[in-house]
Amino acid sequence: MGSSTFLLVLFFPFLLLTLSHAATFDIVNRCPYTVWAAAIPGGGRQLDKNQTWTLTINPGNTSARFWPRTNCSFDSSGHGHCQTGDCGGLLACQADGSPPETIAEYATFVNKDFFDISVVDGFNVPMEIGPDSGSCPGGRPSRCSADLVELCPKELKVPGGCNSPCNVFKTNEYCCNDGTCTPNEYFNFFRSNCPDAYSGPNDDQESTFTCPQGTNYTVVFCP
Ligand SMILES: *[C@@H]1O[C@H](CO)[C@@H](O)[C@H](O)[C@H]1NC(C)=O
Ligand SMILES: *[C@@H]1O[C@H](CO)[C@@H](O)[C@H](O)[C@H]1NC(C)=O
Ligand SMILES: *[C@@H]1O[C@H](CO)[C@@H](O)[C@H](O)[C@H]1NC(C)=O
Ligand SMILES: *[C@@H]1O[C@H](CO)[C@@H](O)[C@H](O)[C@H]1NC(C)=O
């Protein structure tokens, strides 16, 4: 192999790292109640009203998710429980939370970021994720600001949240495992109240949001 090819092979992983950027996420609680923020990667912490948690996602992490937890109680070692979004009883999450939970998703590939609010695991707290001003010209936030706990169809209602039809009924009609289902009344409920959020396997491009890689974001509970 030629020496330039050899150098390329040798430095390719390093090259990939230098091509991606760290991104910072300011997670802000604007709710009139305490929220326990969770992040994978990142862990979690309590956010009282108006508090902000600033997290840096390193270049090696090409995806992240953030979600709110409610009505938690933890002991001094960080063990306890939350009514919604609980991640195995840990304050600093190491695994996904249990539904229902509103989720902000982030992924970055080559030179583009993708982000959105997802309600595929249901809803617990109104939420928004969007680029910080100036870093993504023309970019706009993905938001689900309706109170879907209050509006929730009674079949999906649980304490502190509104579950997804897939988690409640566990059938192909609602989970769309084989990709052949059509939008149903529950999909339409989430879709009509939160058109900017990703609502399920039938959802289209309207709920895909992009920015250049290196953009920083703000995640807001109760925007
Ligand atoms: C939270 O911040 C907003 C705007 O910065 C302010 O109007 C509001 O009074 C603050 N609320 C509390 C509880 O500190
Ligand atoms: C995030 O990146 C760190 C190293 O930068 C790695 O240890 C960790 O496993 C990654 N986490 C995820 C969830 O990919
Ligand atoms: C916490 O639980 C109480 C009692 O069940 C309930 O009234 C309240 O709405 C819950 N708070 C949140 C933020 O879900
Ligand atoms: C993102 O935040 C980091 C750390 O504060 C900063 O160095 C960087 O310039 C910011 N990126 C943009 C595009 O504003």
Side-chain angles (χ1 to χ4, degrees):
M1 112 172 77
S3 64
S4 58
T5 313
F6 175 72
L7 278 177
L8 193 63
V9 169
L10 194 65
F11 289 109
F12 190 60
F14 178 70
L15 206 64
L16 274 182
L17 278 179
T18 57
L19 286 175
S20 55
H21 306 76
T24 63
F25 291 79
D26 282 333
I27 305 171
V28 188
N29 181 18
R30 297 270 178 236
C31 297
Y33 47 84
T34 298
V35 173
W36 285 259
I40 298 287
R45 58 159 275 190
Q46 178 174 334
L47 285 181
D48 295 333
K49 287 181 272 188
N50 270 5
Q51 282 186 331
T52 299
W53 180 26
T54 300
L55 258 181
T56 301
I57 300 296
N58 295 316
N61 295 109
T62 52
S63 68
R65 49 166 49 203
F66 312 93
W67 71 96
R69 293 172 289 172
T70 58
N71 269 335
C72 304
S73 100
F74 292 104
D75 63 20
S76 56
S77 72
H79 291 82
H81 183 74
C82 300
Q83 186 179 48
T84 62
D86 189 62
C87 61
L90 296 178
L91 172 61
C93 293
Q94 292 171 4
D96 291 345
S98 53
E101 59 191 359
T102 326
I103 300 169
E105 304 176 301
Y106 160 83
T108 185
F109 297 105
V110 190
N111 56 15
K112 216 171 182 183
D113 290 350
F114 300 81
F115 61 95
D116 65 24
I117 294 295
S118 165
V119 290
V120 288
D121 264 337
F123 176 99
N124 59 345
V125 173
M127 196 174 179
E128 166 184 304
I129 179 172
D132 290 353
S133 57
S135 59
C136 177
R140 68 184 185 99
S142 172
R143 180 184 299 143
C144 179
S145 55
D147 186 357
L148 299 191
V149 177
E150 188 62 34
L151 298 169
C152 192
K154 65 178 184 313
E155 303 90 324
L156 305 181
K157 211 163 192 149
V158 297
C162 187
N163 215 339
S164 73
C166 174
N167 290 331
V168 172
F169 303 113
K170 300 181 171 33
T171 59
N172 186 59
E173 183 188 357
Y174 295 112
C175 298
C176 207
N177 298 319
D178 66 3
T180 62
C181 56
T182 51
N184 55 64
E185 69 202 280
Y186 301 116
F187 173 86
N188 292 336
F189 161 75
F190 284 105
R191 189 54 195 272
S192 61
N193 284 296
C194 281
D196 281 354
Y198 178 74
S199 319
N202 288 311
D203 218 342
D204 53 28
Q205 288 303 98
E206 273 181 73
S207 51
T208 303
F209 294 77
T210 64
C211 280
Q213 198 172 56
T215 298
N216 294 324
Y217 296 86
T218 300
V219 173
V220 183
F221 300 138
C222 301

